Amino acid sequence: MAEDVRTRRLANDAPLESNVFDCALAFEGGGYRAAYTAGFVVMLLEQGIYFDYVCGISAGASHALNYVSRDIPRAALAFMGIDGTEKLGGFGSFVRGKGYFNADYMYHGCLVDGFFPFDYETFAANPAQIGIQTFERDTGRTVVFDKSDAHDTLSLFLHTRASATIPIAMKPEPIDGKVYYDGGLGEGAGIPLRMAERSGKKRTVLVVTRPLGYQKKPLGARARKIMTRLFGAYPHLLEAVLTRNERYNKELAYVKQRETEGAVLVIAPESMPVSNGTLSPTKLEGAYQQGYAQALRELPRLREYLGL
C-alpha cells in the first residue's frame, strides 16, 4: 500500500483554489485512531474536494495540515507507524523520558532528518485557512492557532505538537514561555465543532474517531488520585482532566442537536480496530484501509450535503 499511495499526488497538480466555501471541515483527534480517518483525508484530496476552512484538535490538527498541503502520500502515511524502531514512541521511549509518544521526533526530528518532510510552500500558498486548538496549562484558556501564527514548517509543527500533547504520555514544548496541552482539554472536550462554528461557517463536516453511540467514561478513583498528585499544582489542567468525560458527552449531545438542524454532517467510523496508543504498522495500515473504504462509501452522502 505504501508504494501505491506514494504515486498518488494528483492533489498537488490541481490549482490551489477552494471549491467548498460555506462549510467547515473539522477533525477530531484520538492519537493513532487517526490512521482510520486518514482515509477520509486522502479520499477528499483524490476527489478534488477542497474546503476553504479546516480545523482540528490533536491528531486531527495533523490531518488539517496534510489536507491543506494537499500531500496525499503524507496524509495516508502520517499515522502508519514505523516498524522496528522507537522513534515514534512506545514503552521504551516512555522509560527513557521521551514520552510514550516521542513528540521530539514526531514533530521535529522527522522534519529535520528528512524522513517525513512537509510541503510548507504549498501549505502557505493554499488560500484555505486552518484552526489548531490547544489548552493553555496555567490559565485554562482554549487557544486556537491559525496560519498567521506560523512562519515556517518548524513553527507550524510546534503549534500542532501543542495541540496533541497528552498529559503524561507526551512531553510539552513551551511556546513563547507558555505551556500548552492537548486541545481536547479545552472547549468541546476534543470535539472541534464549536471551533468550526466560530469560523463563521454555517455548516460543518465533522470527522470523528469514535463510532456512533460512544460515551466517554469517567476516570476511576485510582486514576483520579494519580492525576491529582501529578497535576495538583496546575488547577486548570487538573480540572480539565477530571471533568473531560462529562464535558465530552455533553458535547456529543450538542453535535446531535446541530445534526438534526442540518448544520452538521457527522462522519463516524463504522468500527474502530485500533486504539489511540496502537503503534503496530500492520494494525495501523489495516485501520487506514478500512477508513479509506468507508470514505468512498460516504462520498455520495458527502456530495449531496455539499451540493457538489
Side-chain angles (χ1 to χ4, degrees):
M1 192 283 298
E3 290 305 315
D4 291 341
V5 80
R6 287 185 188 278
T7 67
R8 299 208 302 268
R9 303 191 66 95
L10 299 180
N12 285 349
D13 297 329
L16 287 176
E17 300 173 352
S18 300
N19 52 22
V20 178
F21 300 98
D22 62 344
C23 186
L25 174 62
F27 291 102
E28 183 185 18
Y32 279 89
R33 292 196 302 272
Y36 192 103
T37 49
F40 189 74
V41 181
V42 171
M43 182 276 290
L44 290 175
L45 293 175
E46 289 181 338
Q47 295 295 323
I49 301 174
Y50 303 130
F51 291 74
D52 72 335
Y53 181 78
V54 191
C55 62
I57 295 175
S58 194
S62 293
H63 279 338
L65 266 58
N66 293 332
Y67 174 82
V68 174
S69 72
R70 298 196 181 178
D71 191 329
I72 290 175
R74 194 178 206 283
L77 299 170
F79 294 93
M80 287 293 185
I82 303 174
D83 207 1
T85 178
E86 291 181 2
K87 282 184 176 180
L88 293 186
F91 182 72
S93 173
F94 182 79
V95 298
R96 289 173 177 78
K98 296 180 179 180
Y100 182 83
F101 301 111
N102 183 2
D104 286 343
Y105 187 76
M106 293 166 64
Y107 295 97
H108 184 271
C110 68
L111 301 170
V112 174
D113 68 12
F115 176 80
F116 206 37
F118 178 77
D119 187 350
Y120 184 81
E121 182 178 346
T122 299
F123 171 85
N126 191 333
Q129 296 301 305
I130 64 161
I132 299 173
Q133 181 169 306
T134 64
F135 176 85
E136 192 175 309
R137 182 192 67 184
D138 296 332
T139 66
R141 290 193 311 132
T142 295
V143 178
V144 178
F145 295 113
D146 58 31
K147 272 188 170 182
S148 67
D149 293 302
H151 53 82
D152 58 19
T153 301
L154 294 182
S155 64
L156 176 64
F157 273 75
L158 183 60
H159 296 115
T160 311
R161 171 178 177 165
S163 179
T165 300
I166 303 170
I168 302 175
M170 292 174 69
K171 184 174 64 174
E173 181 71 17
I175 300 174
D176 297 328
K178 298 177 181 179
V179 176
Y180 297 93
Y181 277 100
D182 193 300
L185 295 172
E187 182 182 53
I191 299 176
L193 176 55
R194 294 183 195 263
M195 175 168 48
E197 291 181 335
R198 292 189 194 287
S199 72
K201 304 299 182 184
K202 295 181 179 179
R203 298 183 302 157
T204 302
V205 171
L206 176 64
V207 184
V208 298
T209 59
R210 295 288 196 181
L212 295 176
Y214 171 80
Q215 291 281 294
K216 189 175 287 294
K217 297 179 180 179
L219 293 175
R222 184 168 180 269
R224 292 177 70 89
K225 288 181 179 178
I226 292 173
M227 294 301 175
T228 301
R229 184 166 63 249
L230 290 175
F231 304 127
Y234 308 107
H236 296 293
L237 175 60
L238 178 61
E239 181 183 11
V241 170
L242 296 182
T243 63
R244 190 182 174 204
N245 76 291
E246 58 190 77
R247 293 185 295 113
Y248 184 92
N249 295 338
K250 183 178 180 180
E251 202 66 16
L252 288 177
Y254 178 70
V255 170
K256 189 66 177 177
Q257 172 195 327
R258 296 295 284 156
E259 190 176 24
T260 60
E261 296 168 354
V264 182
L265 176 69
V266 178
I267 305 293
E270 296 166 345
S271 64
M272 181 48 68
V274 294
S275 72
N276 65 339
T278 299
L279 292 174
S280 163
T282 301
K283 291 180 179 179
L284 293 172
E285 181 172 335
Y288 167 80
Q289 297 286 9
Q290 284 184 240
Y292 180 73
Q294 180 182 341
L296 292 177
R297 293 193 295 273
E298 298 280 6
L299 182 57
R301 185 165 72 107
L302 175 67
R303 287 191 178 279
E304 181 180 3
Y305 186 75
L306 296 177
L308 296 178

